[in-house]
């Protein structure tokens, strides 16, 4: 069955970096774009951008340009999100989500990774 | 950015019909999708492209609308439907989500 399995929770200090992984299984990884979504505690969902899993080209929403990097380990069917120079406001759960081709909806989601930034 | 506006909360009794609205600040054609999120869980796709039921989702859920006004309907509501419901558009960049409607059962 199709699954997106993300890495475990992270506790980091301001200024540090974190790398989150999202391992896909049950389908051809390069056939579907992978998107990233942020959810701050008790808040709604915010789209961060996406990565073309065939070409590796990332696209970032404006609020996520600069410190955020989407990457792939295509041979391992894994998408990664790296956040550098962490700030308190990066404290959130980060989800990866597979996009349905031709509609833009997200049909499968990872379980989410809670990143806590605290001194 | 396309702003999606949802009512913050609704309370209904089991067995009733409930409609959750989502209004877009600009047209999104039919590229509106609905998700259910329970506490501590990832969102689950219910409806894609305004009115298409996602795989495995009960037929009690339905979606309608186009342009700027969209509705998710649950009929009849069951106790397990207690959750927050989000709309999301994929017609305009950046993709945006509504603020969510928390559905509580009386």
């Amino acid at each position: 069955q199709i699954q997106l399995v993300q890495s475990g929770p992270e506790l980091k200090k301001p200024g540090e970096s974190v790398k989150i992984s999202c391992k896909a299984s049950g389908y051809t990884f390069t056939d579907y774009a992978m998107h990233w979504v942020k959810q701050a505690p008790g808040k709604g969902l915010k789209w961060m951008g996406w990565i073309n899993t065939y070409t590796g080209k990332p696209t970032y929403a404006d609020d996520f340009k600069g410190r955020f990097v989407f990457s792939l380990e295509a041979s391992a069917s894994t998408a990664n999100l790296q956040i550098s120079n962490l700030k308190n406001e990066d404290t959130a759960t980060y989800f990866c989500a597979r996009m349905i081709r031709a509609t833009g909806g997200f049909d499968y989601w990872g379980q989410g990774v809670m990143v806590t930034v605290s001194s | 950015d396309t702003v999606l506006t949802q009512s913050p909360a609704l309370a209904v009794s089991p067995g009733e019909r409930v409609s959750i609205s989502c209004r877009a600040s600009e047209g999104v054609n039919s590229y509106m999708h609905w998700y259910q999120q329970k506490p501590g869980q990832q969102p689950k796709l219910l409806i894609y492209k305004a009115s298409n039921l996602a795989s495995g989702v009960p037929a009690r859920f339905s979606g309608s609308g186009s342009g700027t006004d969209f509705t998710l309907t649950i009929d009849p509501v069951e106790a397990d439907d207690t959750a927050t419901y989000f709309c999301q558009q994929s017609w305009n960049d950046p993709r945006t989500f509504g603020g969510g409607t928390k559905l509580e059962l009386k």
Side-chain angles (χ1 to χ4, degrees):
Chain A
Q1 75 281 23
I2 295 170
Q3 284 188 300
L4 299 178
V5 178
Q6 297 186 244
S7 47
E10 301 273 4
L11 175 59
K12 295 290 184 180
K13 292 181 167 50
E16 293 185 337
S17 296
V18 68
K19 190 172 185 178
I20 296 164
S21 66
C22 171
K23 182 169 177 59
S25 61
Y27 70 97
T28 301
F29 181 68
T30 52
D31 281 354
Y32 295 83
M34 192 69 77
H35 290 243
W36 291 91
V37 176
K38 175 183 178 181
Q39 187 169 38
K43 301 296 185 183
L45 302 167
K46 186 163 188 175
W47 180 73
M48 301 174 67
W50 66 286
I51 187 163
N52 183 317
T53 54
Y54 186 75
T55 65
K57 180 186 174 186
T59 300
Y60 302 96
D62 284 348
D63 286 349
F64 298 97
K65 291 178 178 174
R67 298 187 297 114
F68 299 81
V69 175
F70 306 146
S71 63
L72 300 176
E73 295 170 49
S75 61
S77 299
T78 297
N80 300 306
L81 164 64
Q82 184 161 350
I83 312 172
S84 59
N85 188 21
L86 282 161
K87 305 178 186 304
N88 290 331
E89 54 264 37
D90 296 325
T91 294
T93 297
Y94 293 88
F95 296 99
C96 59
R98 188 184 87 157
M99 189 189 81
I100 309 172
R101 278 187 284 181
T103 73
F106 304 129
D107 60 349
Y108 288 91
W109 294 66
Q111 82 276 18
V113 175
M114 180 67 203
V115 175
T116 303
V117 183
S118 174
S119 54
Chain B
D1 296 4
T2 305
V3 176
L4 302 182
T5 302
Q6 298 182 243
S7 298
L10 285 171
V12 297
S13 298
E16 290 186 344
R17 170 189 171 114
V18 66
S19 293
I20 298 171
S21 67
C22 177
R23 174 162 286 178
S25 62
E26 58 186 323
V28 299
N29 200 313
S30 62
Y31 288 81
M32 185 67 78
H33 321 289
W34 291 93
Y35 303 88
Q36 176 193 66
Q37 187 180 33
K38 297 181 178 180
Q41 296 185 17
Q42 67 269 52
K44 173 187 175 183
L45 179 68
L46 299 174
I47 301 289
Y48 64 94
K49 214 175 169 196
S51 60
N52 297 277
L53 195 66
S55 177
V57 175
R60 304 184 290 105
F61 293 88
S62 62
S64 63
S66 67
T68 59
D69 289 293
F70 297 85
T71 302
L72 171 71
T73 299
I74 311 172
D75 186 15
V77 172
E78 297 182 358
D80 188 51
D81 299 334
T82 298
T84 300
Y85 293 84
F86 293 95
C87 55
Q88 176 243 329
Q89 65 82 22
S90 59
W91 182 248
N92 300 311
D93 272 336
R95 321 294 174 99
T96 49
F97 289 88
T101 297
K102 188 171 184 179
L103 182 65
E104 297 178 341
L105 268 64
K106 297 177 185 174

